[in-house]
Amino acid sequence: MFRSHVKLGHPLAEEAVLVGCGLLIMAWLAPQVWSFQGQLPITPQSLLVVLWPLLWGWRTGTTSVVLYLVLGGMGLPVFADGAHGWQHFTGSTGGFLMAFPIAAVLVGWLSEGHSTMKYAKSACLMLLGQCTIVVLGLMWQRAMIPVEASWWETMTSLFPAILVKCALGTLVVVFVGRLLTSHKTPA
């Protein structure tokens, strides 16, 4: 976690800037859908809701995620593929959306206290956050819609997308970590 590297003079100003930036990034990138030939489409939505608390801690990350969900519920097209509205919280995708803050708290809390984030740990936390969202979302979805595929088949089909998101997230953590710590001079 790199929260201690952000110095704007006042802790509330720092928090507001990080929450605002997280909200803007999620609102901008989360609606996108990345399609790869022969694969399920990948949305950066779950990547972002795990990455932000990993970078800045559970309070900042979870606040950004909750505000993102509220904006989407209120009608801004910020969910995957431009979806919006409260009906997405009660439909088959509701479990995924409601898992976002749970994953944010979990990943953010586990990342705190480590000003020098080890990149292997950040990759593991990204994987934990992605799996939390997928498992909780699928539990909800399978309770609402009969699914013929087994859990194993479903997870196997989703795992490549999960790994891509974890790899991208880890690269961002490496980039942000190097950017924020490169200005330090050796003692």
Side-chain angles (χ1 to χ4, degrees):
M1 181 178 84
F2 304 109
R3 179 69 179 85
S4 62
H5 296 280
V6 177
K7 302 290 184 206
L8 298 175
H10 194 277
L12 286 176
E14 295 164 2
E15 190 77 15
V17 166
L18 289 173
V19 167
C21 287
L23 186 57
L24 288 172
I25 290 170
M26 285 178 219
W28 172 46
L29 292 176
Q32 296 182 20
V33 176
W34 304 329
S35 296
F36 298 97
Q37 186 175 7
Q39 297 292 325
L40 290 171
I42 297 176
T43 63
Q45 190 175 25
S46 64
L47 163 67
L48 296 167
V49 301
V50 172
L51 179 63
W52 210 249
L54 179 63
L55 290 172
W56 313 114
W58 76 269
R59 286 179 203 91
T60 302
T62 305
T63 302
S64 296
V65 168
V66 168
L67 289 173
Y68 162 75
L69 292 172
V70 169
L71 287 179
M74 292 176 57
L76 272 80
V78 296
F79 296 152
D81 208 18
H84 54 86
W86 296 114
Q87 72 274 12
H88 293 284
F89 290 89
T90 58
S92 63
T93 60
F96 296 98
L97 294 175
M98 289 188 267
F100 288 172
I102 295 168
V105 169
L106 179 64
V107 169
W109 181 73
L110 289 173
S111 73
E112 287 191 7
H114 302 281
S115 60
T116 56
M117 176 66 72
K118 301 294 182 210
Y119 302 124
K121 180 180 179 182
S122 66
C124 290
L125 289 175
M126 288 294 301
L127 182 60
L128 175 65
Q130 294 302 309
C131 288
T132 299
I133 292 168
V134 168
V135 168
L136 293 175
L138 288 175
M139 287 172 56
W140 175 283
Q141 189 176 54
R142 286 170 177 257
M144 297 187 82
I145 301 170
V147 177
E148 290 183 26
S150 70
W151 270 90
W152 177 254
E153 291 169 329
T154 303
M155 291 303 292
T156 303
S157 70
L158 295 174
F159 206 66
I162 290 170
L163 289 179
V164 168
K165 291 178 188 186
C166 291
L168 287 172
T170 303
L171 287 173
V172 171
V173 171
V174 169
F175 176 76
V176 170
R178 290 188 178 167
L179 185 70
L180 292 174
T181 59
S182 65
H183 67 280
K184 289 186 175 183
T185 55

